[in-house]
Amino acid sequence: MLKWTDVVEVHPLESIFQDIPNNPPSVRRMRIPMFQWLQLLNQGHRIPGVINTDAHYNHHGSGWRRNWFACSTDDPAKISTDEMVRQAESGHIVMSTGPFLSVTGRSSSSPDAVIPGDDLVAADGQVTLSVSVQCPNWLDVNRVQVFINGRPSEKHNYTRKSSPELFGNVDAVGKFDSSIGLTLDHDAHLIVATIGEGMTMEKVMGTRYGKRPPIAVSNPRTAPPAIQPMFQFQTA
């Protein structure tokens, strides 16, 4: 069914921080969408991930899962459905339970910024990611993590405790705003994620769904039959 699949739901997002690739579950517990998605990406199946509220009723707690789409306008009345379909198929999406995560990438080979879902050539293997996180006053994050080919990078794991200078005041809208330099020796796909570890969304989302942490995960791109998802770094 892969060639007929436009997107796949990968909820719950927080499972990406369970280091599943390095500690895979037993066969009987393999039904973890995030783990399966990362494995599909590593096998070359560039299928964008999404999360959906699946809200059939208007009730307290609706809207706690959302997808941030790239769009040519911020006027809701001018948004084109056709454009949103194209953005979804291109993987220009960041999945979130509230935090607004922005990720762009640059290299000396491709100085123009690319967003999640785009390819980036880096002939010398040097890549710069610009990452920013914003939250409303009832959310916060305390960790930003770069994943390389589905695995968390130990070097590029930033927390408010270990790198307080990179994080904004807990009362500020801007939570994180930094450029991250990476050196890659082979083609790779990168995913950036942020989370409020030890935090919940209960203040607004209630006790049922609100017990989950604030989190956002950048999304890969689908462009069959290309091999690598999200940012495809082609090294010399």
Side-chain angles (χ1 to χ4, degrees):
M1 298 298 293
L2 291 174
K3 65 180 180 179
W4 291 287
T5 303
D6 294 315
V7 297
V8 59
E9 186 167 23
V10 297
H11 169 75
L13 290 180
E14 58 265 31
S15 60
I16 197 172
F17 285 97
Q18 297 174 4
D19 197 12
I20 299 173
N22 289 321
N23 299 285
S26 65
V27 174
R28 292 186 178 183
R29 298 181 60 251
M30 283 289 284
R31 296 184 61 184
I32 302 177
M34 179 63 70
F35 173 77
Q36 294 169 328
W37 180 56
L38 294 174
Q39 293 304 304
L40 285 171
L41 297 180
N42 284 335
Q43 293 173 27
H45 300 291
R46 300 177 62 163
I47 303 175
V50 296
I51 59 170
N52 299 299
T53 300
D54 197 23
H56 299 277
Y57 305 96
N58 183 15
H59 63 92
H60 183 59
S62 296
W64 66 279
R65 287 182 281 184
R66 60 206 73 189
N67 301 294
W68 304 114
F69 279 64
C71 187
S72 60
T73 178
D74 58 3
D75 183 346
K78 296 179 181 179
I79 294 176
S80 163
T81 300
D82 288 343
E83 180 189 0
M84 292 300 94
V85 170
R86 292 193 297 272
Q87 298 287 17
E89 291 176 340
S90 297
H92 295 161
I93 305 170
V94 171
M95 300 167 284
S96 175
T97 62
F100 185 81
L101 170 65
S102 174
V103 183
T104 59
R106 285 184 170 87
S107 72
S108 58
S109 304
S110 303
D112 293 334
V114 300
I115 64 173
D118 289 338
D119 292 343
L120 179 66
V121 176
D124 58 2
Q126 302 299 311
V127 174
T128 299
L129 298 181
S130 297
V131 180
S132 67
V133 184
Q134 294 177 308
C135 293
N137 61 7
W138 52 278
L139 289 180
D140 194 12
V141 296
N142 53 20
R143 180 181 176 185
V144 172
Q145 172 76 62
V146 178
F147 294 82
I148 302 177
N149 289 332
R151 296 179 182 273
S153 168
E154 182 177 348
K155 180 178 179 180
H156 300 292
N157 176 31
Y158 307 96
T159 67
R160 189 183 292 276
K161 182 178 180 179
S162 63
S163 305
E165 72 281 1
L166 300 180
F167 288 80
N169 188 286
V170 293
D171 297 321
V173 173
K175 304 297 185 180
F176 186 94
D177 189 0
S178 184
S179 293
I180 301 172
L182 292 86
T183 300
L184 304 170
D185 57 7
H186 53 77
D187 289 358
H189 66 83
L190 304 181
I191 292 175
V192 178
T194 183
I195 189 173
E197 292 184 316
M199 303 176 183
T200 70
M201 303 180 295
E202 290 182 82
K203 186 174 181 179
V204 169
M205 291 302 170
T207 58
R208 183 178 179 184
Y209 301 115
K211 291 186 179 298
R212 294 183 179 275
I215 184 173
V217 179
S218 66
N219 199 83
R221 174 193 180 191
T222 177
I227 300 300
Q228 296 290 350
M230 195 179 170
F231 302 120
Q232 181 180 346
F233 299 105
Q234 300 174 346
T235 57

